[in-house]
Amino acid sequence: MNDAEFLAALRDLVGANHVHSDPADLEPVLADWWDIAHGGAVAAVYPGSTAEVAAVMRLCAQLGRTVVPQGGNTGLCRGATPQPGGRGIVLGLRRMTALREIDTPSNIVVAEAGLPLAALHDALAEHGRRLPLHLGSEGSAQLGGLISTNAGGTGALRYGPMRDMVAGIEVVLPDGRVLTDLDALRKNNTGYDLKHLFIGAEGTLGIVTAAAFRIHPALRSSAHAWLAVDALDDAVRLLVSLQERFDTAIQAVELLSADQVDLVLRYIPRSRLPLDTMPKWSLMIELGASDPTAPLQAALEDWLASAFEEGLIADAFLAQNQTQAADIWHVRHGVSDANKQHGRSLSHDVAVRPARLPQMIARCSDAVTAAYPQARILIVSHIGDGNVHFIAHFAHDDWAAVPDQSATVKHVMGMVHDIVTNLGGTFSAEHGIGRKLAGELAQRADPARLTIMRGIKDHLDPQRLMNPGAIFPA
Amino acid sequence: MNDAEFLAALRDLVGANHVHSDPADLEPVLADWWDIAHGGAVAAVYPGSTAEVAAVMRLCAQLGRTVVPQGGNTGLCRGATPQPGGRGIVLGLRRMTALREIDTPSNIVVAEAGLPLAALHDALAEHGRRLPLHLGSEGSAQLGGLISTNAGGTGALRYGPMRDMVAGIEVVLPDGRVLTDLDALRKNNTGYDLKHLFIGAEGTLGIVTAAAFRIHPALRSSAHAWLAVDALDDAVRLLVSLQERFDTAIQAVELLSADQVDLVLRYIPRSRLPLDTMPKWSLMIELGASDPTAPLQAALEDWLASAFEEGLIADAFLAQNQTQAADIWHVRHGVSDANKQHGRSLSHDVAVRPARLPQMIARCSDAVTAAYPQARILIVSHIGDGNVHFIAHFAHDDWAAVPDQSATVKHVMGMVHDIVTNLGGTFSAEHGIGRKLAGELAQRADPARLTIMRGIKDHLDPQRLMNPGAIFPA
């Protein structure tokens, strides 16, 4: 079947309006979020139902056409960008946005994969509920993509990544069969738990079309603080002390280095430092509870007093109202934008156990600055879960002067990933593998693990049509 | 190789003292916890290290001998009892009890699979930490078995089952390869998450030899209550209200029917009812927090007052000290023993979403009592996670008078499982499949799911040597 016949068959299945093959329509779909990678496809296809997804998958399996699933296209590792020269399809679920069910007594919501995360947040708020997944791209990132990349964010310290929130999925397999598990039971021990294979599989095993999520009651009391800390070891000690006292009341603990805060203050409107001097390390804390009578503000003040006494904090700002709290988080959320304006960031999404974090940051900083004295090291860390965005940042002029940019990117990445993996850490904490890190995975992962992954892939997708090049090198 | 040569080879690998082939030694190993099933094996083998486990697995793979892993042998579905006439081995890890690491700043503990759960509890308590998994058999149940059966218990409402506590595993594959993932990172998105395949796989894919667990700070404040409730619908309303107010401060919510409480009071020493009259439904609540200043007792009292006002509670007892709290849970923990003394329990480990629980219990009770008027329905429910132990109980004399006991067991099970699955529930919530329910699974599960499970099994265990008869019918 030639391309024209293939397109006609696709139009028969989902309707002519939902098969985009014009180069102008295709262009944004074929580029990644950074606009670094550009791939090829015959069409972008937007089915309107699980049955239509299944029909499209059957057709592609019959014809040996590749399928690249794409959600909001906000991924950072090129997992949703087809291979250059690809002659298959990009499959999007933006028409599948139904909230199939909100079961508030059971604390379960069932939603379709094309719904953006922010839209789900809004819908749940009307029912006094929330899904505690928060990340920068939540306005456009879709649930299906967030599941397929096992999204992390600031709440993972307390609630885990997306994997921990998914109670069940509906997935269309590469051959068009539909696997449905939306009963969303908290306990169900009837054989292997298959949903965890598809969560974080980056669309290499099938298409997630809907999911059931465990939801939580809305927060009705909170407390927010910005702590000035002199040494990273103290930041870890504070984290431990905070967890021992507040455990599950902790909603977020974020760490920024002084240079990072400095860049945000320079570039982001309405950003301000609520302390007298720039701290070496900034620790931002949010506590929250569903009980409106929980005395979190007083308890946090009490804890801060004891931390001062122990000499762990140089200075601290305890927000007295929601505006002051929002000011703290406004600085945290300004990071990406500020860095983009100032220069080129070589960003590494790494993680180690929290206890090893000071050592990891020190070693990586020393190695990179020794090789590239013009680089500024910026640290943005979800410290509570050990995840560090380790950024070697070059001002625009400095980056332009780098002789071989591509080799520099690889050189820095190799240094950072070597140090992190030697400390028992991971070179991809929350962003996934995609096409960007498929080579790293092939090189660094345990061969036994890769063999099993490949065996599962071959069992479910024997023709290797699903998202080729992602996770496994093409 | 004949049996004698096989035994000699095993002795070479693990030492003569650790290969038991005498019938007297083997007998307890070859019977299940209920002493209903009796299987066959050439030996029980107790390796002392992961390397020895791997050597034993390689030998068995070479010779085509089956391997049945067995932990504390407390499972309720005959998952650790070999097939009758089996000529392979039972493999136990009771010599592998090391606590390899306690990383309190990172809240991670790494322990070997042969360690009993209670021993881990004791060790963690010394470090001000806890693993919130609690079940009746914790004195003898071993970590490896608890992982392989994805154990549930009373804390699952708040912390999930065992699956949610495991941060990484070390597993020996059927061919002797060792897959190690004990870095225990909260975020790690580097390919498929394989550990979830082995958790709950009941030893059909490999032997879990060690695991990393996420641990929590010790509880330093708590509140306990026993509520008298007239209707099941009210019990669900109370659960919802409790969750909206206290969310993660809830440690347990258990439900018992009047007949069940009555049996405990009759048979269990020192058991007492702290209310004036026997309630139709008893709801037992535990709140807990790591913050020693959290005012849980006052908050629970406040919540109880509003529940009274809404007419949801007939009576309530709020424990004023640890002794009164222990009295409440003493009644809950006396259930199994009391029922065993009074007669024969046909127990069903089912679950539906909490909102559907009243309907499920009513329908099952009606169906069973219509067919067997002499049966007394006993309800023991982890209501917060929708898990009900639905027990059709026959007094010893009544059971002795049943003409075909085996057919009765099957008949009741069929009725209960039909109703539960029609309500979107599961016929095995926390006890697993083992050999007891392998036929039910083959009959009731989605064929697409079974095909994928079988494909994974065949990829990892192509000779089908691992725990044959468990999960998949022999």
Side-chain angles (χ1 to χ4, degrees), chain B residues 151-402:
Chain B
T154 54
L157 143 82
R158 161 66 187 86
Y159 299 93
M162 183 54 125
R163 180 181 301 287
D164 294 39
M165 303 175 195
V166 174
I169 57 171
E170 174 189 273
V171 59
V172 179
L173 300 176
D175 60 7
R177 281 178 300 168
V178 181
L179 206 62
T180 303
D181 165 30
L182 298 175
D183 292 332
L185 304 167
R186 195 70 186 96
K187 288 179 177 166
N188 188 3
N189 277 347
T190 50
Y192 308 158
D193 190 330
L194 299 182
K195 71 171 173 292
H196 286 294
L197 277 182
F198 297 94
I199 300 170
E202 305 187 18
T204 60
L205 298 177
I207 309 271
V208 176
T209 46
F213 302 91
R214 281 188 280 275
I215 52 179
H216 294 258
L219 296 177
R220 287 189 211 83
S221 52
S222 68
H224 304 257
W226 183 329
L227 280 56
V229 184
D230 284 335
L232 267 177
D233 284 335
D234 289 342
V236 173
R237 278 187 205 106
L238 286 163
L239 171 70
V240 172
S241 163
L242 194 72
Q243 286 180 314
E244 283 180 351
R245 170 98 183 236
F246 296 107
D247 194 21
T248 57
I250 302 169
Q251 301 295 322
V253 184
E254 299 280 304
L255 176 82
L256 298 182
S257 61
D259 275 358
Q260 180 61 78
V261 173
D262 179 60
L263 276 192
V264 172
L265 298 181
R266 271 166 69 184
Y267 287 99
I268 303 300
R270 292 176 298 106
S271 65
R272 52 177 290 273
L273 181 72
L275 304 161
D276 294 333
T277 56
M278 175 68 76
K280 198 156 175 211
W281 297 98
S282 290
L283 206 59
M284 296 160 164
I285 294 169
E286 178 185 356
L287 302 183
S290 55
D291 186 351
T293 70
L296 294 181
Q297 184 86 357
L300 185 56
E301 198 162 1
D302 179 57
W303 176 82
L304 282 171
S306 60
F308 263 114
E309 266 173 44
E310 291 174 53
L312 295 174
I313 317 180
D315 194 4
F317 170 75
L318 182 64
Q320 298 303 322
N321 53 50
Q322 286 305 312
T323 308
Q324 291 185 350
D327 281 354
I328 295 176
W329 298 106
H330 183 60
V331 172
R332 171 63 187 86
H333 295 142
V335 161
S336 298
D337 198 11
N339 295 358
K340 218 169 184 173
Q341 291 188 50
H342 185 260
R344 173 76 158 94
S345 291
L346 308 188
S347 186
H348 306 83
D349 170 40
V350 298
V352 291
R353 289 212 207 144
R356 296 174 191 161
L357 214 133
Q359 201 182 354
M360 187 266 275
I361 290 176
R363 283 203 214 170
C364 288
S365 302
D366 289 351
V368 174
T369 49
Y372 301 93
Q374 74 273 47
R376 202 198 274 216
I377 303 302
L378 306 176
I379 299 296
V380 183
S381 171
H382 310 301
I383 182 174
D385 55 49
N387 183 193
V388 176
H389 299 307
F390 181 90
I391 303 168
H393 185 84
F394 294 75
H396 285 304
D397 288 351
D398 289 337
W399 185 245
V402 166

Side-chain angles (χ1 to χ4, degrees), chain B residues 122-148:
Chain B
D122 291 346
L124 290 175
E126 287 175 29
H127 295 260
R129 294 291 186 278
R130 68 200 169 99
L131 182 79
L133 180 71
H134 293 288
L135 60 166
S137 58
E138 60 191 54
S140 42
Q142 297 173 6
L143 298 175
L146 293 161
I147 291 170
S148 295

Side-chain angles (χ1 to χ4, degrees), chain A residues 145-425:
Chain A
L146 293 161
I147 291 170
S148 295
T149 56
N150 186 29
T154 54
L157 145 83
R158 161 65 187 85
Y159 299 94
M162 183 55 126
R163 179 181 302 285
D164 295 38
M165 302 175 195
V166 174
I169 57 172
E170 175 188 274
V171 58
V172 179
L173 300 177
D175 61 7
R177 281 177 300 168
V178 181
L179 204 62
T180 303
D181 165 30
L182 298 175
D183 293 332
L185 304 167
R186 195 68 185 98
K187 287 180 180 168
N188 188 4
N189 277 346
T190 50
Y192 307 158
D193 192 327
L194 299 181
K195 71 172 172 294
H196 285 294
L197 276 182
F198 297 95
I199 300 170
E202 304 186 19
T204 59
L205 298 177
I207 309 271
V208 176
T209 48
F213 302 92
R214 280 188 281 274
I215 52 180
H216 295 257
L219 295 178
R220 288 188 210 83
S221 52
S222 67
H224 304 256
W226 182 329
L227 281 55
V229 183
D230 284 334
L232 268 178
D233 284 335
D234 288 343
V236 173
R237 278 187 206 109
L238 286 163
L239 172 70
V240 173
S241 163
L242 194 72
Q243 288 180 312
E244 283 180 351
R245 171 96 182 237
F246 296 107
D247 192 21
T248 57
I250 302 168
Q251 300 295 321
V253 184
E254 298 281 303
L255 176 83
L256 298 181
S257 60
D259 275 358
Q260 180 61 76
V261 174
D262 180 60
L263 276 191
V264 173
L265 297 181
R266 272 166 69 183
Y267 287 99
I268 303 300
R270 292 177 298 105
S271 64
R272 52 177 288 274
L273 181 72
L275 302 161
D276 293 334
T277 54
M278 175 68 75
K280 196 154 178 212
W281 298 97
S282 290
L283 206 58
M284 297 162 163
I285 294 169
E286 178 186 356
L287 302 183
S290 55
D291 185 351
T293 70
L296 293 182
Q297 184 87 357
L300 185 55
E301 198 162 358
D302 179 56
W303 176 81
L304 281 171
S306 60
F308 263 113
E309 266 173 43
E310 291 175 53
L312 295 173
I313 317 180
D315 194 5
F317 171 74
L318 182 63
Q320 299 301 323
N321 53 49
Q322 286 305 312
T323 309
Q324 291 185 350
D327 282 353
I328 296 176
W329 298 106
H330 183 59
V331 173
R332 171 64 187 86
H333 295 142
V335 162
S336 298
D337 198 11
N339 294 358
K340 217 168 182 173
Q341 290 188 51
H342 185 261
R344 174 75 157 94
S345 291
L346 309 188
S347 187
H348 306 83
D349 170 39
V350 297
V352 291
R353 290 212 207 144
R356 295 175 192 160
L357 215 132
Q359 200 182 354
M360 187 265 276
I361 291 177
R363 283 203 214 169
C364 288
S365 302
D366 289 350
V368 173
T369 49
Y372 300 94
Q374 75 274 46
R376 202 199 275 215
I377 302 302
L378 307 176
I379 299 297
V380 184
S381 172
H382 311 302
I383 182 174
D385 56 48
N387 183 192
V388 176
H389 299 308
F390 181 90
I391 303 169
H393 185 83
F394 294 75
H396 284 305
D397 288 351
D398 290 335
W399 184 245
V402 167
D404 185 341
Q405 294 180 342
S406 164
T408 302
V409 168
K410 277 192 191 137
H411 182 215
V412 173
M413 181 173 85
M415 285 192 287
V416 171
H417 289 182
D418 281 349
I419 292 166
V420 169
T421 50
N422 280 334
L423 286 169

Side-chain angles (χ1 to χ4, degrees), chain A residues 457-474:
Chain A
K457 167 80 172 165
D458 285 344
H459 177 62
L460 286 169
D461 180 22
Q463 294 188 81
R464 302 191 177 180
L465 297 176
M466 291 302 304
N467 210 5
I471 295 187
F472 306 99

